[in-house]
Amino acid sequence: MKTMRLIALLMTSMLISCSTLAPKVNESDINAEAAKAYAEIKTKSKISTNKEWTAMVQRVADRIAKASGENFQWEVILIDSPEVNAWCMPGGKMAVYTGIMPVLKTEGALAAVMGHEVAHATLRHGMEGYIRAKQQSYAGILIAGATVVGGQLLCKTDECRKWSALGGVAAGFALTFLERKFSRGDETSADKKGQIYMAKAGYDPKESLVLWDRMNAAKQGAAPPEFISTHPSDQTRKNNLKGWLPEAESVYAQSPSKYGLGATIK
């Protein structure tokens, strides 16, 4: 009994210490850490040499960033990698993977994807998750100082393992930014806001619906059922976007520049 009481006292002491040590994190701190992680990713990733795709990604990113109205330190890179993926860190640091480009087929579909990812940043979804992760880390793993080995063991996705292998701040971000999936509510609100961003940027918002047909075809039926996924199903997302389309089309009608579907991705 004495041993059990001693263990209980030690655990209580540790929890109190963890609560006391939990960091007070603000947005500027997170954006600064994101910028450091992004710098590591840029220097250690294979950047695409496809000039046409790079130019397209840059102009779409510029237009979506402007449409968002956020005063972030925006930046984008095109990473030469087969992943069908794109992301936007807290503070506006973005990346698109070459693997997604053939799936998208149009510049307008790229605008839909980037609008969605930018919306996660402007709605502070990643920032909120990162704050929770930083605070929780003091009761377990020090995520901000994650080691390469620790990251490799804890990561569940190949993308997370790649970031973790870079070491430094990127390893910490691998565990907090990549592994803490957005909730269904976050995904839905980012879909809605992203559709508005693409319309405001001058891209036909109807392309956001077609995008999910292409994404579903690219998965070849490999996606898990919606009820066991944190993400809404592709069909649910398409239905939601269709319901929001009148509002987005109204925004598109008022956009001073109209690019329609933009260029075709070859």
Side-chain angles (χ1 to χ4, degrees):
M1 290 294 292
K2 287 183 179 180
T3 302
M4 293 296 292
R5 279 197 291 269
L6 179 59
I7 292 172
L9 283 170
L10 286 171
M11 290 183 69
T12 302
S13 177
M14 286 174 66
L15 288 171
I16 292 171
S17 297
C18 290
S19 174
T20 304
L21 291 171
K24 304 297 181 184
V25 188
N26 58 42
E27 185 170 2
S28 60
D29 293 336
I30 292 171
N31 291 350
E33 287 193 39
K36 289 178 183 177
Y38 191 69
E40 291 175 358
I41 291 165
K42 283 197 301 182
T43 58
K44 296 177 182 178
S45 296
K46 184 179 179 182
I47 305 301
S48 174
T49 57
N50 187 317
K51 293 182 180 179
E52 185 177 349
W53 286 5
T54 298
M56 182 185 294
V57 166
Q58 185 64 61
R59 67 175 174 262
V60 172
D62 290 344
R63 290 166 183 169
I64 295 292
K66 184 178 179 180
S68 77
E70 283 285 351
N71 188 29
F72 287 157
Q73 297 298 308
W74 298 101
E75 192 173 352
V76 67
I77 52 175
L78 179 62
I79 297 176
D80 189 352
S81 183
E83 286 93 346
V84 179
N85 197 19
W87 44 259
C88 181
M89 285 181 171
K93 304 302 185 185
M94 298 176 274
V96 175
Y97 292 73
T98 54
I100 201 173
M101 298 296 279
V103 175
L104 297 178
K105 299 188 185 303
T106 69
E107 186 175 334
L110 175 62
V113 168
M114 296 189 76
H116 172 90
E117 297 302 332
V118 164
H120 276 309
T122 61
L123 292 169
R124 273 62 179 181
H125 293 158
M127 182 188 76
E128 292 166 2
Y130 191 74
I131 289 174
R132 289 193 298 270
K134 289 274 283 188
Q135 291 171 339
Q136 292 167 5
S137 70
Y138 279 76
I141 296 159
L142 293 174
I143 291 176
T147 63
V148 172
V149 174
Q152 290 288 321
L153 291 174
L154 290 164
C155 285
K156 299 179 183 68
T157 63
D158 289 339
E159 185 66 11
C160 177
R161 293 186 188 96
K162 287 179 183 178
W163 281 29
S164 180
L166 299 178
V169 181
F173 253 76
L175 296 174
T176 54
F177 182 67
L178 289 176
E179 290 302 292
R180 291 176 175 262
K181 302 298 184 185
F182 297 124
S183 68
R184 291 191 192 187
D186 287 348
E187 289 294 332
T188 299
S189 59
D191 279 347
K192 189 175 193 300
K193 181 70 74 174
Q195 189 183 47
I196 295 296
Y197 285 165
M198 72 176 292
K200 191 174 180 181
Y203 293 99
D204 187 343
K206 289 193 292 294
E207 191 70 354
S208 64
L209 280 68
V210 181
L211 163 67
W212 290 106
D213 291 331
R214 295 173 189 155
M215 293 294 282
N216 189 53
K219 292 175 185 175
Q220 297 180 339
E226 181 177 0
F227 69 90
I228 60 170
S229 173
T230 58
H231 287 48
S233 71
D234 293 351
Q235 187 59 50
T236 296
R237 300 180 95 148
K238 183 178 177 180
N239 291 342
N240 287 339
L241 289 161
K242 186 177 181 179
W244 303 323
L245 190 58
E247 180 184 355
E249 286 185 320
S250 177
V251 172
Y252 179 57
Q254 298 174 50
S255 177
S257 300
K258 293 182 177 59
Y259 309 104
L261 302 184
T264 300
I265 297 174
K266 301 174 183 177

